[in-house]
Amino acid sequence: MAGDPPVPERIEFVEVGPRDGLQNEKVLISTESKLALVARAIAAGARRIEVTSFVNPRRVPQMADAEAVCAGLPERPDVTYIGLVMNARGAERALATGRVDQLGAVCVSTDAFAMANQGQTSAESAAAAMEIVAMAQAAGRSGQITIGAAFGCPFSGEVAEAGVIALAQQLAAARPAEIALADTIGCGNPAQVARLVAGVRAAAPGVPVRVHFHNTRGTGLANVWAAVQAGASVVDASIGGLGGCPFAPGAAGNVASEDVVYMLERAGVATGIDLAEIIAASQWLSGIMGRTLPGMAAQAPLFPQTIEGA
Amino acid sequence: MAGDPPVPERIEFVEVGPRDGLQNEKVLISTESKLALVARAIAAGARRIEVTSFVNPRRVPQMADAEAVCAGLPERPDVTYIGLVMNARGAERALATGRVDQLGAVCVSTDAFAMANQGQTSAESAAAAMEIVAMAQAAGRSGQITIGAAFGCPFSGEVAEAGVIALAQQLAAARPAEIALADTIGCGNPAQVARLVAGVRAAAPGVPVRVHFHNTRGTGLANVWAAVQAGASVVDASIGGLGGCPFAPGAAGNVASEDVVYMLERAGVATGIDLAEIIAASQWLSGIMGRTLPGMAAQAPLFPQTIEGA
């Protein structure tokens, strides 16, 4: 089905719009709209959704309603709700809601970015992430870890691949549900992606690799493609391509869910997401945000539907 | 240098901004600005440039100054200037300038789009393209052929890959300098790209394969990457990501030169283009056009240059 080199028949799709998509937006979005976004993601087929983050509301005001969002989530045993947490305090908050199925922890590959993002060294951020996974497991939930700035750092530039792979190997000892490689500032390239995904898979055998790309330089979907070719089995994306990190200067949005779904489904890789529904969700979100969003498939005709109707 | 699967050490880069980039722009750009764009492309390292098209000025007013553009081109024996032509009349005009090194002919994979684009059937467009190559060769120039709508058609939807490959095999008899696969409406996906590039290479052995992608649904760079992996040796791009076809509803711009160069150079594939110079050209063109252009690398920090200067 998928050309040469081979790609898998399916990947697992994670919608991160309610958290990573919105967190950098200056205008506060209502809890009701966030819950509507979650509902639209579910209606389109998403079964893993990053719904909020439990962080300091003074640093990320958009996420101040984390508990309210969780209280309003639909009861869906088939959906995994993910809450992002940066420390034990956040993990306690997330677990206290009783509605977060999985904790998402973050460690950062470089000291400079770890300090800007979370006031820690890289090693401290790794230790904190492993503690969060342990807390999730102790509470009967699962935990996973994202390695931020895995492809490059806005403060220290190039990031050594061997260091990221060694970090993944260290994290694997916590038995996370998966390890993600995040291109926080969208500087990665597909050859690097292929090497890093393969390297992490080899260093942490049996741990699924998730990828998280931002489209700062237009390379987001190329990086998704390279990652899937290299064996990444889970892909993050954000409806409309919203996103950007408040602590990463120059960062643009996540890869857009509708663009990722268009590319992968057309390439024979099942995502579980209905393209027309996710496009409709993007168009709805564009109305909520009051502007055209970066995602492109929602602005184009729905191929292969033809102009005169086939 | 390039991960797994392997990619080539270098590709040949073709700047198509002066023709495909500008042709869909409603505001007429001065001949002087077009020549400045050519000069900036050369300064950035471009050695093949599609400078204009010799088409009916009533249908494409932006290209009415084709002869004036050619008369103003710098004398650069190391640069191949390409003129796009659709028929024998256009080929005569291009050759009469004495400044066009290579004729670019276009045939279209579907009757419906061939009719909308050039008032011919697909077969007639192939015959015309082969005649144009013969005219170029008879005049001591070279000719190449682009297969338009090779990945999908706005009027008839899916395009059979076997048909495109058979068309390429037929075209190879004209001994074109290369055969290009064009995703005119930006609907292609990387698995399809890999299959078609490999199929054309097998059907037309010894004929270099060029690729021409539009970024309508965000997949442009993924398609470039898949094409290069599959052995395409020449890549079209447009400074700033300008472009779109006046006869292809819903078509967006070409892949942006600066984004293609960023991705390939960072992935270890040499393009001959200086990233900082092509970004500067895009920023200059943005000023000429009076708006932000679609290309993204020109709007992002120049990685790996860092915020505090490394």
Side-chain angles (χ1 to χ4, degrees), chain B residues 120-131:
Chain B
Q120 298 172 313
T121 65
S122 172
E124 287 167 350
S125 76
M130 294 174 77
E131 182 193 357

Side-chain angles (χ1 to χ4, degrees), chain A residues 1-2 5 152 154-158 187 189-191 195 215-217 222 225 229 249 259 262-263 266-267 296 301 303-304 306-307, chain B residues 1-2 5 152 154-155 157-158 187 189-191 195 215-217 222 225 229 249 259 262-263 266-267 296 301 303-304 306-307:
Chain A
M1 289 301 295
F155 303 105
S156 41
E158 305 283 6
C187 65
N189 71 75
R195 286 191 303 266
N215 196 32
T216 314
R217 293 165 181 85
W225 184 248
Q229 282 184 318
D259 295 358
Y262 178 81
M263 178 180 76
R266 292 282 303 166
M296 299 190 71
F303 188 84
T306 57
I307 287 163
Chain B
M1 288 301 295
F155 303 106
E158 305 283 5
C187 64
N189 70 77
R195 287 191 303 265
N215 197 33
T216 313
R217 293 165 182 84
W225 183 248
Q229 280 184 320
D259 295 356
Y262 178 81
M263 176 180 77
R266 291 282 303 166
M296 298 190 72
F303 189 85
T306 57
I307 289 163

Side-chain angles (χ1 to χ4, degrees), chain A residues 143-168:
Chain A
Q144 33 91 351
I145 305 176
T146 296
I147 302 178
F151 300 91
C153 173
F155 303 105
S156 41
E158 305 283 6
V159 171
E161 293 172 16
V164 175
I165 291 167
L167 184 54

Side-chain angles (χ1 to χ4, degrees), chain A residues 101-199:
Chain A
D101 301 300
Q102 185 171 73
L103 300 187
V106 177
C107 71
V108 178
S109 68
T110 65
D111 287 330
F113 190 67
M115 202 54 73
N117 195 58
Q118 55 217 68
Q120 299 172 312
T121 64
S122 172
E124 287 166 349
S125 76
M130 294 173 78
E131 181 193 359
I132 289 164
V133 170
M135 290 175 71
Q137 291 166 344
R141 310 289 174 164
S142 62
Q144 33 91 351
I145 305 176
T146 296
I147 302 178
F151 300 91
C153 173
F155 303 105
S156 41
E158 305 283 6
V159 171
E161 293 172 16
V164 175
I165 291 167
L167 184 54
Q169 188 165 29
Q170 176 194 343
L171 298 173
R175 307 181 71 82
E178 73 198 358
I179 293 175
L181 296 169
D183 188 10
T184 311
I185 59 169
C187 65
N189 71 75
Q192 177 189 25
V193 168
R195 286 191 303 266
L196 261 182
V197 169

Side-chain angles (χ1 to χ4, degrees), chain B residues 86-281:
Chain B
M86 305 300 280
N87 51 37
R89 169 82 190 99
E92 286 164 4
R93 282 177 59 198
L95 293 169
T97 68
R99 300 304 312 283
V100 172
D101 301 301
Q102 186 171 72
L103 300 188
V106 177
C107 71
V108 178
S109 68
T110 66
D111 287 331
F113 190 65
M115 201 56 71
N117 196 57
Q118 55 216 71
Q120 298 172 313
T121 65
S122 172
E124 287 167 350
S125 76
M130 294 174 77
E131 182 193 357
I132 289 163
V133 171
M135 290 176 69
Q137 291 166 344
R141 310 290 174 165
S142 62
Q144 33 90 350
I145 304 176
T146 296
I147 301 178
F151 300 91
C153 172
F155 303 106
S156 41
E158 305 283 5
V159 170
E161 293 172 16
V164 175
I165 292 168
L167 184 55
Q169 190 166 28
Q170 175 194 343
L171 298 172
R175 306 180 69 81
E178 74 199 359
I179 292 175
L181 295 169
D183 188 10
T184 311
I185 59 168
C187 64
N189 70 77
Q192 177 189 25
V193 167
R195 287 191 303 265
L196 261 181
V197 168
V200 168
R201 289 184 74 207
V207 181
V209 174
R210 178 165 54 86
V211 286
H212 179 100
F213 293 115
H214 287 254
N215 197 33
T216 313
R217 293 165 182 84
T219 61
L221 263 65
N223 290 340
V224 169
W225 183 248
V228 169
Q229 280 184 320
S233 54
V234 192
V235 177
D236 282 358
S238 171
I239 291 171
L242 273 184
C245 174
F247 312 112
N254 291 106
V255 289
S257 300
E258 58 270 30
D259 295 356
V260 169
V261 169
Y262 178 81
M263 176 180 77
L264 292 179
E265 293 280 341
R266 291 282 303 166
V269 181
T271 63
I273 306 297
D274 183 272
L275 179 62
E277 288 284 336
I278 204 84
I279 283 176

